[in-house]
């Protein structure tokens, strides 16, 4: 019986260890273009899980996953159970990323470096924490399984979310901002791992 438990533990460790291991692409920018968005005027609101979602902009991004975090207990967890830190341009280059320590907690994305591997402003404007609202079970499954280092394409809408009790959550509409309110809140219509 102890042997079976040990084997099961090793199999689980191996499976989760592989899932968490970062994908390597070598030096150079591998997701060059910034996310694209087109502002929407008077887009139709819709309801999802008891929330009202207002589309603010069409959104299309191909970027590198720098970190991922799953949420279960905060106010937005039922709506956006996964946050992905995404990087493009200079922040998709492993040479730059090797000089950064990236982490997530409490819906925030943090980075630090003992010596900056790229100009601070480029690091700030070529990466972002993105709250992902899956539009389907298929999208949810991909969001939960995506690995650090993967290049993914995300198509959807930047949204504002309103709850009947007055709670609201609004997406940033700029890749130039930092700090509180700078995260994108995305209704993910499709996600593909490239």
């Amino acid at each position: 019986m102890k042997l079976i438990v040990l084997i099961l533990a090793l199999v689980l460790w191996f499976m989760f260890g592989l899932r968490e291991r970062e994908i390597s692409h070598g030096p150079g920018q591998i997701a060059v273009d910034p996310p694209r968005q087109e502002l929407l005027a008077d887009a139709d609101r819709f309801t999802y899980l008891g929330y009202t979602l207002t589309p603010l902009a069409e959104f299309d991004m191909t970027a590198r996953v720098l970190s991922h975090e799953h949420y279960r207990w905060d106010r937005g967890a039922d709506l956006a159970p996964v946050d992905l830190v995404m990087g493009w341009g200079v922040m998709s280059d492993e040479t730059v990323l090797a000089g950064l320590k990236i982490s997530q907690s409490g819906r925030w994305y943090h980075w630090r470096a003992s010596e900056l591997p790229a100009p601070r402003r480029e690091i700030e404007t070529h990466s972002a924490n993105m709250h992902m609202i899956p539009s389907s079970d298929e999208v949810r499954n991909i969001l939960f399984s995506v690995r650090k280092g993967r290049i993914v394409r995300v198509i959807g809408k930047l949204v504002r979310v309103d709850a009947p009790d007055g709670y609201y959550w609004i997406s940033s509409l700029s890749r130039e901002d930092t700090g509180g309110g700078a995260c994108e809140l995305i209704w993910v219509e499709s996600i593909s791992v490239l």
Side-chain angles (χ1 to χ4, degrees), residues 13 23 36 45-46 69 72 82 89 112 116 119 160-161 166 193:
W13 176 81
I23 305 296
R36 294 172 297 286
R45 296 176 178 183
F46 60 97
E69 186 70 35
R72 290 182 181 81
V82 176
R112 65 175 192 233
L116 288 178
R160 173 189 171 113
V161 171
V193 177

Side-chain angles (χ1 to χ4, degrees), residues 59 128-131 158 171-172 174-175 177 182-186:
F59 191 75
N129 189 38
M130 302 190 176
H131 312 304
L158 300 178
S171 178
S172 167
S174 172
R175 308 299 85 74
D177 52 0
C183 296
E184 285 69 25
L185 180 59
I186 307 171

Side-chain angles (χ1 to χ4, degrees), residues 107 146 153:
R107 298 283 181 177
V146 72
R153 182 173 185 198

Side-chain angles (χ1 to χ4, degrees), residues 144-187:
F144 272 99
S145 67
V146 72
R147 286 170 54 188
K148 184 177 176 181
R150 287 282 191 204
I151 304 301
V152 298
R153 182 173 185 198
V154 175
I155 298 173
K157 293 177 177 56
L158 300 178
V159 296
R160 173 189 171 113
V161 171
D162 290 278
D165 64 1
Y167 169 82
Y168 65 93
W169 201 0
I170 305 173
S171 178
S172 167
L173 295 176
S174 172
R175 308 299 85 74
E176 300 290 319
D177 52 0
T178 61
C183 296
E184 285 69 25
L185 180 59
I186 307 171
W187 170 254

Side-chain angles (χ1 to χ4, degrees), residues 23 25 30-36 59-68 82-89 92 128 130 132 139 141-156 186 188 190-194:
I23 305 296
H25 300 277
I30 56 173
V32 179
D33 297 323
R36 294 172 297 286
F59 191 75
D60 187 344
M61 164 186 66
T62 299
R64 182 184 184 130
V65 177
L66 305 181
S67 183
H68 58 86
V82 176
D83 282 5
L84 299 179
V85 176
M86 305 299 291
W88 55 92
S92 69
M130 302 190 176
M132 303 294 192
V139 168
N141 291 339
I142 295 170
L143 286 170
F144 272 99
S145 67
V146 72
R147 286 170 54 188
K148 184 177 176 181
R150 287 282 191 204
I151 304 301
V152 298
R153 182 173 185 198
V154 175
I155 298 173
I186 307 171
V188 181
S190 72
I191 179 170
S192 50
V193 177
L194 306 179

Side-chain angles (χ1 to χ4, degrees), residues 14-21 68 70 144-145 147:
F14 183 74
M15 287 173 45
F16 286 106
L18 283 180
R19 188 179 74 101
E20 293 301 317
R21 195 175 68 208
H68 58 86
H70 302 166
F144 272 99
S145 67
R147 286 170 54 188

Side-chain angles (χ1 to χ4, degrees), residues 31-110:
V32 179
D33 297 323
R36 294 172 297 286
Q37 76 179 37
E38 183 178 330
L39 295 178
L40 295 169
D42 302 319
D44 290 335
R45 296 176 178 183
F46 60 97
T47 57
Y48 178 71
L49 300 177
Y51 296 92
T52 300
L53 278 67
T54 305
L56 305 173
E58 296 283 351
F59 191 75
D60 187 344
M61 164 186 66
T62 299
R64 182 184 184 130
V65 177
L66 305 181
S67 183
H68 58 86
E69 186 70 35
H70 302 166
Y71 292 92
R72 290 182 181 81
W73 310 114
D74 70 355
R75 173 68 196 252
D78 58 333
L79 190 65
V82 176
D83 282 5
L84 299 179
V85 176
M86 305 299 291
W88 55 92
V90 68
M91 288 297 284
S92 69
D93 185 340
E94 281 185 23
T95 306
V96 171
L97 297 173
L100 297 171
K101 173 69 175 158
I102 293 173
S103 62
Q104 290 172 273
S105 66
R107 298 283 181 177
W108 288 83
Y109 147 51
H110 309 277

